[in-house]
Amino acid sequence: MASTTESSPRPGSAVPLPVRRNLAVAAAVRAGLVGADQPVAALLDLRTIRETATALHTAFAEVAAPGQQVLHTFAVKAGALVPVLRQFDGLGIGSEVASPGELALARAAGVDPARIVLDSPAKTVGELTEALELGIALNVDNPQELERLDALVGTGGPGGPGRAGARVGMRVNPQLGAGSIGAMSTATATSKFGVALRDPGARAWVLRAFAERPWLSRLHCHVGSQGMPLEQMAAGVRVTYELAEEINAAALAAGRPAQVDTLDIGGGLPVNFGSDETRPGYHYYARLLRSEVPALFDGRYRLVTEFGRSLLAKAGMILARVEYTKDAGGRRIAVTHAGAQVATRTVFAPDAWPLRVAAYDARGQLRTGGELRQDVAGPCCFAGDLVARDRAMPELRPGDLAALLDTGAYYASTPFGYNSLARPGVYGFTVDADGTADFSTVRRPQTLAELVAESGG
Ligand SMILES: *Cc1c(COP(=O)(O)O)cnc(C)c1O
């Protein structure tokens, strides 16, 4: 990896992400965002967020029919931070929410209810009522939820008599099987999400449910997240599209207008955690969808997407101070301040969620060479609290910073309260080629007083 001085490009030219990252780490140290008193902090590269949002828009604009409406939403669970939601909203990306808390965050960010989609599998009557009152699109998960909705909307449907304003869909599970990470595979035969379309009688039930409720106007699928082959995601979209066609054909045959007008194709684009390359990228996926489900882009359907991880992962890193280094049983261990509390999945499922770890010295200069196999441990009091095991990387020393890369999504934004470790600060940054960085506070570090208060003190 290039050091900051070697590859600082001419002022005015685009600074590549790895260089921006190095400049930002040094600037974060100078600004005191991370150090002895604040031993862990998360940084978000605002430029990467903008570029990723642009890539999403252009990828779908390239394959969509002229004038076809595509609403992109950001899955709030991937980055549950109000300024992040506001930033995405400003970039034309609304919010996909799955709990009252996520909805409150999206509302606090000023996201227009018309650009919010509610998808939780456990919506209470209160949540359903609120969504209907606000005019938020929602996707029904199961027959019992549909019965609840029947009682709430009455015979006229959510938009009053007729279909005006109705933005209610149904989530279906195409039951295509698992990807490489079981916990992330939402389209297995027994997944808890959506109506299991291949179960006996299920498809007929869906057709009947739509025929009896002209206000149902959408279908939703989200076939999986990290670890799901793209072909399988596209196959899930195809199954959903074909069901929409069947519902619409039945409506037309009964003398009614086409009923399903919107297909919500979910999120789930996997992220490459192995290098700085953005792979597979939205363009690849959009083109794959066009080749697998060409009619998706013929303009008859409005589209909704719900990407989370792929919109934010590459923009973020967690910086953790190395407090001590030690040797045990022939192994070198760097004890840092980032473990299960900010890298929960990596610690508990290390094979599914490996992370790159970069080494910086105490001034925030990238360390290169001098590689040593070492464990990078967190501060939590259990033995498995490791973010990297037996990893060959430049030798970490006390006072250094270990940087967990590609952690913009699902890491520091959703901390785990183990050992009463305070939530770290999250800072957005922009950086110039000369190393001048601007930081904005996305979330302040939690104070001990706040931690005590939230723990019943
Ligand atoms: C989590 C989730 C997403 C986003 O998934 P990513 O893998 O982060 O892109 C989208 N839709 C639904 C319904 C989800 O649960």
Side-chain angles (χ1 to χ4, degrees):
M1 202 180 287
S3 80
T4 55
T5 43
E6 274 165 2
S7 38
S8 287
R10 284 168 289 114
S13 67
V15 188
L17 172 63
V19 181
R20 290 206 294 278
R21 190 162 61 217
N22 293 344
L23 294 171
V25 173
V29 171
R30 288 197 300 274
L33 302 181
V34 61
D37 296 334
Q38 289 292 347
V40 58
L43 303 186
L44 284 173
D45 179 6
L46 301 181
R47 177 171 173 158
T48 298
I49 294 179
R50 271 199 309 279
E51 288 176 354
T52 311
T54 303
L56 175 60
H57 283 299
T58 56
F60 277 79
E62 193 184 284
V63 294
Q68 184 171 17
Q69 282 184 40
V70 184
L71 171 65
H72 296 295
T73 65
F74 171 66
V76 170
K77 72 173 181 286
L81 298 162
V82 173
V84 168
L85 305 185
R86 195 179 292 131
Q87 166 114 3
F88 275 123
D89 193 45
L91 295 167
I93 296 176
S95 292
E96 185 266 353
V97 302
S99 73
E102 290 183 357
L103 176 56
L105 298 184
R107 302 264 291 148
V111 182
D112 183 341
R115 300 163 50 71
I116 299 176
V117 179
L118 171 64
D119 276 340
S120 150
K123 303 175 202 78
T124 62
V125 170
E127 283 176 85
L128 290 169
T129 306
E130 185 184 14
L132 291 172
E133 277 168 5
L134 292 171
I136 287 170
L138 67 92
N139 290 308
V140 171
D141 182 84
N142 59 67
Q144 292 176 0
E145 188 183 334
L146 188 58
E147 271 178 38
R148 271 192 186 175
L149 213 51
D150 282 341
L152 288 174
V153 304
T155 47
R163 303 182 35 216
R167 294 200 306 138
V168 180
M170 185 180 290
R171 179 167 182 171
V172 294
N173 169 11
Q175 290 170 296
L176 297 167
S180 64
I181 308 176
M184 307 306 291
S185 302
T186 46
T188 58
T190 57
S191 162
K192 73 173 181 182
F193 293 109
V195 176
L197 217 45
R198 289 184 172 175
D199 280 9
R203 197 178 182 91
W205 178 83
V206 173
L207 291 168
R208 210 164 50 244
F210 273 76
E212 291 166 355
R213 296 169 187 79
W215 44 269
L216 282 174
S217 61
R218 303 176 150 219
L219 282 177
H220 172 224
C221 70
H222 170 66
V223 164
S225 290
Q226 191 70 13
M228 189 60 66
L230 264 57
E231 290 68 23
Q232 203 153 326
M233 290 170 56
V237 173
R238 186 171 53 231
V239 169
T240 308
Y241 161 78
E242 285 165 356
L243 179 61
E245 292 285 287
E246 199 175 336
I247 291 168
N248 285 343
L252 293 174
R256 293 187 290 111
Q259 182 166 355
V260 176
D261 59 20
T262 303
L263 296 174
D264 180 341
I265 63 171
L269 196 74
V271 164
N272 162 35
F273 285 96
S275 76
D276 278 319
E277 245 184 290
T278 297
R279 252 188 298 121
Y282 295 118
H283 282 88
Y284 181 85
Y285 184 47
R287 286 173 200 160
L288 180 74
L289 283 173
R290 184 179 54 187
S291 76
E292 297 293 311
V293 204
L296 198 60
F297 300 110
D298 66 11
R300 286 176 302 136
Y301 292 97
R302 287 186 211 128
L303 301 179
V304 177
T305 74
E306 309 171 337
F307 295 101
R309 182 175 292 105
S310 56
L311 275 168
L312 202 55
K314 290 278 172 202
M317 67 179 141
I318 294 168
L319 290 178
R321 201 172 126 95
V322 178
E323 200 62 53
Y324 301 106
T325 59
K326 63 203 281 189
D327 294 284
R331 269 207 302 198
R332 170 62 59 85
I333 304 162
V335 180
T336 81
H337 286 274
Q341 93 278 26
V342 286
T344 316
R345 280 189 174 135
T346 295
V347 167
F348 289 111
D351 296 333
W353 299 100
L355 285 176
R356 292 185 292 154
V357 182
Y360 292 88
D361 69 19
R363 291 179 308 126
Q365 301 298 309
L366 185 70
R367 284 196 187 280
T368 54
E371 292 206 349
L372 184 76
R373 301 197 78 87
Q374 51 203 311
D375 285 0
V376 182
C380 299
C381 296
F382 66 95
D385 189 37
L386 302 170
V387 294
R389 291 161 202 253
D390 199 24
R391 177 80 55 91
M393 58 180 285
E395 181 179 355
L396 286 164
R397 313 222 169 90
D400 277 9
L401 296 169
L404 314 188
L405 306 187
D406 310 317
T407 50
Y410 295 100
Y411 280 86
S413 59
T414 19
F416 168 39
Y418 202 85
N419 272 145
S420 296
L421 288 157
R423 281 191 284 277
V426 180
Y427 306 93
F429 72 84
T430 55
V431 66
D432 295 336
D434 65 4
T436 319
D438 266 337
F439 291 100
S440 55
T441 301
V442 174
R443 182 182 70 197
R444 307 186 274 105
Q446 187 180 34
T447 65
L448 292 183
E450 287 167 341
L451 196 150
V452 169
E454 127 183 328
S455 306

